[in-house]
């Protein structure tokens, strides 16, 4: 090969590599990391990307060189020269990718193993997914867990989440934490997260689970240790399970995922609006409180015009206590203002 050709190949390679690097660096492909696990995932991502950019630069340079150098002149209908294999080249293009792919597998395996390891003494929190809400169970006094509708985590502490689903498959994902796992009815899955940045994030359901899927989110807060202790005390003072505040139950039970209700600031349209339930009760010829309560625990008994049966979960008589149902009914009828 002449020196001029080698220089041209190198120039093409540098151009292609630079273009690919700019796309890799200047497009925000990943959210900012907020956990140790996400840091490792980001490292794996860049390790693989750098290798890919190198390979891309070589392939693009050879293609550009060949297209320009060996372009057939117009009217040239002759066959190309017969070419046989090149043993040296074949060994190189088998061995080099084998080494690179092995390196990527080793790095990924180490990262996967580390990201599954919660250490000796993780904080254990249960996560329950149901259409269309998340709830979180903290170890409480005795064997009664504390259940909350938002996830509060102390910073720099490994947390082992145990995921359950009450109805269909959901998937737990906080983009900034990197880790993701399905919540599957009947089996227990786990996820390890070690938050590194104080801040507010969102749990996003990433498995299509029904009409309210897109709205199935919950707040996550990463806080300093003293603030976390305070949160636990407050949760414990609020009762053994989630409190009996109508608005809180509305949020934690996920009502807003499907229903518009002005006092709660929700505008979902999967299910009927809850803004004038008294009028609906009157139309049905029933006492408002009884009408609303029945509609929560047996949603298919009466279907509002334009909506379908079988969409709303029939689990609320099990997941909410009598007092919580009363509080929710009152909140829905009076908007919490009384
Ligand atoms: Cu739960 Cu999608």
């Amino acid at each position: 090969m002449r020196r001029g050709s080698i220089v041209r190949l190198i120039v093409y390679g540098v151009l292609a590599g630079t273009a690919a690097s700019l796309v890799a660096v200047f497009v925000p492909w990943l959210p900012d990391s907020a956990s140790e696990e996400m840091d490792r995932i980001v490292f794996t991502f860049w390790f693989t990307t750098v290798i890919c950019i190198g390979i891309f630069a070589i392939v693009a340079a050879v293609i550009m060189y060949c297209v320009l150098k060996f372009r057939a002149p117009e009217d040239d209908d002759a066959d190309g020269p017969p070419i046989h294999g090149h043993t040296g080249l074949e060994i190189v293009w088998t061995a080099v990718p084998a080494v690179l792919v092995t390196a990527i597998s080793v790095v990924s395996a180490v990262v996967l193993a580390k990201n599954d390891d919660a250490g000796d003494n993780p904080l254990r929190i249960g996560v329950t997914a149901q259409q269309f809400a998340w709830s979180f169970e903290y170890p409480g006094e005795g064997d009664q867990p504390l259940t909350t509708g938002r996830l509060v985590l102390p910073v720099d502490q490994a947390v082992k989440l145990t995921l359950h689903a009450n109805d269909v498959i959901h998937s737990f994902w906080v983009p900034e934490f990197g880790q993701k796992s399905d919540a599957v009815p009947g089996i227990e899955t786990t996820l390890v997260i070690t938050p590194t940045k104080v801040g507010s994030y969102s749990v996003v359901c990433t498995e299509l689970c029904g009409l309210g899927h897109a709205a199935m989110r919950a707040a996550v807060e990463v806080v300093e240790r003293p603030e976390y202790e305070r949160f636990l005390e407050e949760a414990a003072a609020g009762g053994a399970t989630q409190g009996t505040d109508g608005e809180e139950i509305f949020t934690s039970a996920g009502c807003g995922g499907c229903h518009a209700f002005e006092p709660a600031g929700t505008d979902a349209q999967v299910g009927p609006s809850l803004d004038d339930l008294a009028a609906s009760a009157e139309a049905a010829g029933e006492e408002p409180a009884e009408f609303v309560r029945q509609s929560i625990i047996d949603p298919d008994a009466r279907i509002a015009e334009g909506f379908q049966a079988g969409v709303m979960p029939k689990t609320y008589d099990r997941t909410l206590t009598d007092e919580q149902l009363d509080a929710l009914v009152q909140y829905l009828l009076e908007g919490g203002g009384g």
Side-chain angles (χ1 to χ4, degrees), residues 129-130 132 134 169-171 205-210 213-214 216:
Q130 68 170 48
F132 299 99
W134 299 97
I169 302 177
H170 304 268
S171 185
C205 179
T206 56
E207 190 71 68
L208 183 60
C209 54
H213 161 70
M216 186 169 165

Side-chain angles (χ1 to χ4, degrees), residues 270-307:
V270 175
S273 159
L274 306 178
D275 277 321
D276 202 358
L277 289 169
S280 313
E282 203 179 319
E286 285 184 48
E287 201 264 313
E290 192 47 34
F291 171 80
V292 175
R293 195 187 172 92
Q294 271 306 314
S295 300
I296 296 170
I297 60 180
D298 187 10
D300 287 354
R302 281 172 303 253
I303 297 301
E305 207 186 315
F307 295 91

Side-chain angles (χ1 to χ4, degrees), residues 4-290:
S5 305
I6 293 173
V7 171
R8 272 167 75 186
L9 267 173
I10 290 174
V11 170
Y12 295 152
V14 169
L15 285 177
T18 307
S21 303
L22 291 177
V23 173
V25 172
F26 285 105
V27 178
W29 297 105
L30 297 174
D32 287 343
S33 169
S35 79
E36 279 180 20
E37 291 74 20
M38 180 69 171
D39 290 345
R40 296 189 194 109
I41 291 169
V42 169
F43 171 78
T44 314
F45 174 85
W46 281 112
F47 181 78
T48 311
T49 302
V50 167
I51 291 175
C52 292
I53 289 175
I55 300 284
F56 172 76
I58 293 170
V59 172
V62 172
I63 289 176
M64 276 195 273
Y65 178 83
C66 294
V67 164
L68 296 172
K69 164 112 182 167
F70 302 113
R71 189 183 160 81
E74 256 177 78
D75 301 332
D76 179 2
D77 291 335
D79 287 341
I83 293 173
H84 286 273
H86 186 296
T87 312
L89 257 185
E90 283 177 21
I91 289 174
V92 169
W93 76 43
T94 307
V96 172
V99 169
L100 294 178
V101 170
T102 307
I104 294 173
S105 329
V106 170
V107 168
S108 305
V110 170
V111 165
L112 274 177
K114 282 191 169 182
N115 277 3
D116 266 351
D117 181 8
D120 290 335
N121 197 13
L123 175 63
R124 289 171 194 276
I125 299 175
V127 177
T128 303
Q130 68 170 48
Q131 291 166 318
F132 299 99
W134 299 97
S135 60
F136 307 98
E137 294 100 47
Y138 289 80
E141 301 286 311
D143 31 327
Q144 186 69 280
L146 298 171
T147 306
T148 63
R150 66 189 175 128
L151 181 59
V152 178
L153 301 173
V155 70
D156 294 326
Q157 154 81 56
V159 182
K160 186 159 192 172
L161 301 175
T162 308
L163 312 178
H164 301 271
N166 282 350
D167 34 41
V168 298
I169 302 177
H170 304 268
S171 185
F172 179 99
W173 186 46
V174 177
E176 293 84 353
F177 293 165
Q179 300 274 69
K180 183 196 269 183
S181 177
D182 278 5
V184 184
I187 65 171
E188 199 181 276
T189 50
T190 61
L191 206 54
V192 176
I193 289 166
T194 315
T196 50
K197 271 189 207 146
V198 169
S200 300
Y201 311 96
S202 276
V203 181
V204 183
C205 179
T206 56
E207 190 71 68
L208 183 60
C209 54
L211 285 174
H213 161 70
M216 186 169 165
R217 292 180 174 232
V220 187
E221 276 157 62
V222 177
V223 297
E224 300 288 353
R225 178 56 78 164
E227 205 176 320
Y228 172 71
E229 305 287 350
R230 231 178 359 257
F231 157 78
L232 280 188
E233 275 165 32
E234 273 166 26
T241 57
Q242 66 186 194
T244 50
D245 179 67
E247 186 174 358
E248 225 166 77
I249 297 165
F250 182 90
T251 307
S252 61
C255 310
C258 298
H259 296 282
F261 188 50
E262 228 187 295
T266 62
D267 58 2
Q269 305 206 334
V270 175
S273 159
L274 306 178
D275 277 321
D276 202 358
L277 289 169
S280 313
E282 203 179 319
E286 285 184 48
E287 201 264 313
E290 192 47 34

